């Protein structure tokens, strides 16, 4: 399997194709493929609505249509990120220090606060701008309240009554410091615990203009906190609606950009062609079905989709456009790919080491875990541009030999001879090549394990790691769980389109049942 994924050729038609369709575009539900298909069929629109790029000629669109489409795609991507990424958070905007936007913002803000300072310095003071700021603060504080916060709402409305404040200002009876004290106290009541110190520092600012400026800075942070609280609150509800929402948004996008499934079609066609060959039917026996009457072997669409997802773990991201329906998770699939490459090298090094070491050494769980951690640390920066795998494996070989000899001595066995050390270091060094036989075996077994994870039901026991992968099974399962969650969620959203593409070899829409 891994040979095919490593050597998948780039379709030249895909190269010349415009990349416009690429622009559109963890805790998803864990379900078995069988349950997944049932849910999709019961809750999805008829696959007859799925539009095929080959039957839909390109058309011109207006700027307004493009802007509307872009907005829909942005909303879809945001909803997707909230559901998929359990750590998703909105963060304050921080402009680059030397950017034009920051310089303009600083100039405008300085002019505003200087103007406020001039007004308050007049005799008698002019409070027009200050009262407007109080009004903004009032609206912001009220926006933080929940429906049940009646008492706090009444307090804010009563103390920050703008009509009363204007009357006090006209009569020279306005006490700005008293209003600021109330505002700071209310902010302390409503802010998240992480902002307590920041709000407390406001009490030390005595001048009105710097105080107002600091209040607005703190309120901006409180707005971000409130937004993140809202995100965490709606996530469980959004999870239930996001599948239909994403599919609906993608369908609307597809109607405006009919070629938005071209790369998906190419991706699934390659997976189908690979599995149709005898070599890959033997490698993936579960994918092959009974031969049709004169039509050749039939493939299970679920197996084709699973195999297509595995191909994404061997994708040439520099030279191949990513399929449109998985584009929002492009970075996640890249991360999986990098993690698996590191695990492949780690597994190959450990397999070589334990094959050469005495049987008693390989069976010692504490030593295996210690050796694994040492090699992992030395391979931590494996995918940085400055990282040289050959140099790192030289250091790994030296350290492994020291650890193995030390463990042999503790067990009362003879340490490695000079010749054995040289052989072990050479075999570890050879793992640097992607064509190294040991590395290829480990890579193939990892993909087999992931394929079994995709095909298995969550009610069944998790698949057992193939031989030789025992030392890295824990790390491999962590990647597999995240990978399967992401794949299952993607299937639930886009399987109607995949089924339509795979319905015939000509990739025509499926007819409704």
């Amino acid at each position: 399997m891994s040979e095919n994924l490593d050597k998948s050729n780039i379709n030249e038609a895909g190269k010349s194709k415009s990349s416009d369709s690429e622009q559109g575009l963890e805790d998803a539900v864990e379900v078995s493929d069988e349950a997944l298909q049932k849910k999709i069929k019961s809750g999805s629109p008829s696959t007859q609505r799925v539009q095929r790029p080959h039957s839909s000629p390109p058309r011109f669109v207006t700027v307004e249509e493009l802007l509307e489409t872009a907005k829909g795609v942005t909303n879809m991507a945001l909803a997707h990120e909230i559901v998929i990424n359990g750590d998703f958070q909105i963060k304050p905007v921080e402009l680059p220090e030397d950017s034009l936007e920051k310089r303009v913002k600083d100039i405008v803000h300085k002019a505003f606060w200087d103007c406020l300072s001039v007004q308050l310095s007049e005799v008698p003071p002019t409070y027009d701008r200050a009262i407007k700021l109080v009004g903004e603060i009032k609206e912001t504080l009220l926006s933080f309240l929940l429906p049940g916060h009646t008492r706090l709402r009444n307090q804010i409305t009563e103390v920050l009554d703008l009509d009363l404040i204007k009357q006090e200002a006209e009569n020279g009876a306005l006490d700005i410091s008293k209003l600021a004290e109330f505002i700071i106290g209310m902010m302390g009541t409503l802010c998240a615990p992480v902002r307590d110190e920041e709000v407390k520092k406001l009490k030390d600012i005595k001048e009105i203009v710097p105080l107002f400026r600091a209040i607005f800075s703190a309120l901006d942070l409180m707005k971000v906190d409130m937004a993140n609280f809202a995100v965490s609150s709606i996530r469980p509800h959004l999870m239930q609606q996001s599948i239909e929402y994403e599919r609906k948004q993608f369908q609307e996008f597809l109607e405006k950009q009919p070629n938005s499934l071209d790369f998906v079609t190419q991706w699934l066609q390659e997976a189908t062609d690979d599995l149709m060959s005898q070599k890959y039917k033997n490698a993936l026996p579960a994918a092959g079905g009974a031969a049709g009457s004169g039509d050749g072997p039939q493939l299970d669409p679920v197996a084709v989709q699973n195999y297509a997802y595995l191909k994404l773990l061997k994708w040439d991201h520099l030279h191949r456009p990513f399929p449109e329906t998985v584009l929002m998770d492009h970075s996640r699939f890249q991360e999986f790919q990098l993690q698996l490459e590191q695990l492949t090298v780690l597994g190959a090094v450990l397999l070589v080491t334990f094959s050469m070491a005495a049987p008693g050494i390989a069976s010692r769980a504490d030593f295996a875990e210690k050796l694994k951690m040492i090699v992992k640390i030395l391979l931590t920066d494996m995918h940085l541009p400055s990282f040289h795998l050959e140099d790192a494996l030289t250091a790994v070989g030296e350290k492994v030999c020291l650890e193995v000899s030390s463990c042999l001595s503790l067990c009362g066995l003879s340490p490695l001879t000079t010749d054995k050390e040289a052989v072990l270091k050479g075999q570890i060094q050879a793992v640097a090549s992607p064509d190294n036989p040991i590395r290829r075996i480990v890579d193939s077994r990892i993909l087999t394990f992931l394929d079994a994870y995709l095909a298995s039901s969550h009610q069944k026991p998790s698949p057992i790691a193939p031989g030789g992968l025992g030392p890295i099974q824990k790390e491999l399962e962590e990647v597999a769980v995240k990978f399967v969650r992401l794949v299952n969620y993607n299937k639930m959203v886009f399987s109607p389109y995949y089924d339509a593409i795979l319905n015939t070899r000509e990739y025509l829409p499926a007819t409704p049942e």
Side-chain angles (χ1 to χ4, degrees):
M1 182 194 299
S2 62
E3 283 184 32
N4 179 58
L5 296 178
D6 284 331
K7 298 181 180 178
S8 295
N9 294 322
I10 301 173
N11 188 305
E12 293 300 324
K15 282 184 178 178
S16 60
K17 180 180 173 295
S18 168
S19 61
D20 290 345
S21 62
E22 188 179 358
Q23 300 301 314
L25 323 177
E26 133 186 288
D27 295 327
V29 287
E30 286 184 284
V31 291
S32 65
D33 284 314
E34 190 176 356
L36 202 58
Q37 293 299 317
K38 288 180 181 177
K39 182 164 185 178
I40 291 165
K41 288 180 180 178
S42 63
S44 63
S46 168
T47 50
Q48 193 173 25
R49 295 180 66 245
V50 178
Q51 301 187 25
R52 301 267 34 87
H54 301 295
S55 60
S56 303
R59 66 181 182 86
F60 292 103
V61 293
T62 64
V63 174
E64 290 76 13
E65 287 178 308
L66 285 175
L67 291 174
E68 183 183 348
T69 301
K71 181 180 178 182
V73 171
T74 300
N75 292 340
M76 180 173 65
L78 179 60
H80 179 84
E81 190 67 21
I82 291 173
V83 171
I84 293 297
N85 184 4
D87 298 324
F88 175 83
Q89 279 195 330
I90 299 168
K91 296 183 178 178
V93 177
E94 294 184 5
L95 300 174
E97 197 60 38
D98 298 326
S99 66
L100 176 62
E101 188 176 356
K102 188 175 190 310
R103 290 202 298 271
V104 171
K105 180 182 175 182
D106 290 344
I107 291 170
V108 171
H109 281 204
K110 184 177 185 301
F112 175 84
W113 294 114
D114 286 349
C115 185
L116 176 63
S117 181
V118 169
Q119 282 194 343
L120 295 178
S121 300
E122 293 175 357
V123 181
T126 303
Y127 291 108
D128 293 350
R129 288 180 183 271
I131 292 173
K132 286 182 181 178
L133 292 181
V134 171
E136 290 182 26
I137 292 171
K138 175 184 177 181
E139 293 303 317
T140 302
L141 292 175
L142 290 173
S143 71
F144 294 154
L145 300 180
L146 298 175
H149 290 160
T150 307
R151 184 177 60 83
L152 293 177
R153 188 180 305 276
N154 292 338
Q155 283 184 10
I156 294 171
T157 305
E158 182 181 338
V159 177
L160 301 183
D161 185 339
L162 296 187
D163 291 334
L164 180 60
I165 292 173
K166 286 177 184 177
Q167 290 179 16
E168 290 177 346
E170 291 170 359
N171 297 322
L174 179 61
D175 188 347
I176 285 285
S177 299
K178 187 177 179 182
L179 289 178
E181 184 180 342
F182 171 79
I183 291 169
I184 294 170
M186 190 57 66
M187 289 172 65
T189 301
L190 298 175
C191 73
V194 71
R195 305 296 175 200
D196 283 344
E197 284 300 318
E198 214 153 345
V199 172
K200 215 176 271 186
K201 289 178 182 177
L202 297 176
K203 297 178 181 179
D204 298 330
I205 304 175
K206 303 305 179 184
E207 295 184 25
I208 296 300
V209 173
L211 177 57
F212 267 106
R213 196 165 187 169
I215 284 173
F216 273 94
S217 295
L219 286 174
D220 285 341
L221 295 176
M222 288 174 64
K223 287 178 184 177
V224 173
D225 295 337
M226 182 57 69
N228 286 324
F229 172 74
V231 166
S232 63
S233 300
I234 67 170
R235 182 177 283 116
H237 307 287
L238 187 61
M239 179 78 74
Q240 301 168 12
Q241 306 296 327
S242 60
I243 295 168
E244 289 79 6
Y245 176 75
E246 285 191 40
R247 191 185 299 139
K248 178 176 177 289
Q249 289 292 318
F250 183 80
Q251 180 62 33
E252 291 175 0
F253 177 80
L254 188 60
E255 288 167 359
K256 293 182 174 65
Q257 300 288 331
N259 65 334
S260 297
L261 281 173
D262 285 4
F263 294 131
V264 172
T265 301
Q266 179 184 329
W267 167 52
L268 293 176
Q269 182 175 2
E270 288 178 4
T272 302
D273 293 342
D274 289 346
L275 289 176
M276 285 293 287
S277 68
Q278 184 63 42
K279 177 178 180 181
Y280 296 105
K281 281 189 293 175
N282 292 336
L284 291 174
S293 54
D295 293 332
Q298 301 298 307
L299 297 176
D300 177 8
V302 174
V304 174
Q305 291 178 37
N306 288 348
Y307 183 76
Y309 285 114
L310 291 177
K311 287 174 72 70
L312 298 178
L313 300 176
K314 293 291 180 181
W315 204 259
D316 182 356
H317 298 277
L318 291 178
H319 302 101
R320 298 199 64 183
F322 215 57
E324 296 91 343
T325 53
V326 288
L327 199 56
M328 287 191 294
D329 293 309
H330 190 182
S331 61
R332 291 186 178 89
F333 281 104
Q334 279 184 300
E335 186 178 351
F336 289 144
Q337 186 171 348
L338 296 178
Q339 289 174 345
L340 291 174
E341 285 177 8
Q342 187 178 38
L343 282 178
T344 300
V345 173
L346 175 61
V349 169
L350 295 177
L351 184 59
V352 166
T353 302
F354 294 139
S355 297
M356 287 200 62
I361 295 292
S363 61
R364 291 191 57 171
D366 57 339
F367 174 72
E369 190 65 24
K370 178 183 178 183
L371 195 62
K372 179 175 70 174
M373 293 307 299
I374 290 172
V375 178
K376 276 179 71 175
I377 290 171
L378 293 173
L379 296 176
T380 298
D381 299 327
M382 180 173 165
H383 300 293
L384 293 178
S386 58
F387 186 86
H388 297 288
L389 184 57
E390 294 83 359
D391 296 341
L393 288 177
T394 299
V396 167
E398 294 286 347
K399 189 64 176 172
V400 164
C401 286
L402 284 174
E403 293 295 331
V404 170
S405 293
S406 174
C407 188
L408 287 171
S409 298
L410 289 173
C411 294
L413 301 172
S414 301
L416 292 175
T417 63
T418 304
D419 290 341
K420 278 191 173 184
E421 279 195 4
V423 172
L424 180 55
K425 290 176 183 178
Q427 290 189 357
I428 290 174
Q429 187 70 41
V431 171
S433 170
D435 294 323
N436 174 260
I438 303 298
R439 181 170 170 177
R440 289 173 67 84
I441 288 172
V442 172
D443 181 62
S444 177
R445 290 178 182 178
I446 286 176
L447 292 174
T448 300
F449 177 74
L450 291 175
D451 183 60
Y453 231 94
L454 279 174
S456 67
S457 167
H458 71 289
Q459 288 96 353
K460 299 176 183 176
S462 300
I464 300 173
L469 300 186
I472 60 170
Q473 179 161 352
K474 179 184 174 184
E475 291 80 2
L476 195 53
E477 284 181 346
E478 289 175 358
V479 175
V481 167
K482 294 177 183 178
F483 175 67
V484 170
R485 283 177 178 171
L486 189 61
V487 166
N488 282 345
Y489 184 83
N490 185 267
K491 283 183 181 180
M492 293 180 73
V493 176
F494 295 108
S495 263
Y497 301 95
Y498 301 154
D499 291 342
I501 292 171
L502 295 171
N503 187 57
T504 67
R505 291 291 291 166
E506 289 79 21
Y507 307 106
L508 296 176
T511 54
E513 297 180 359

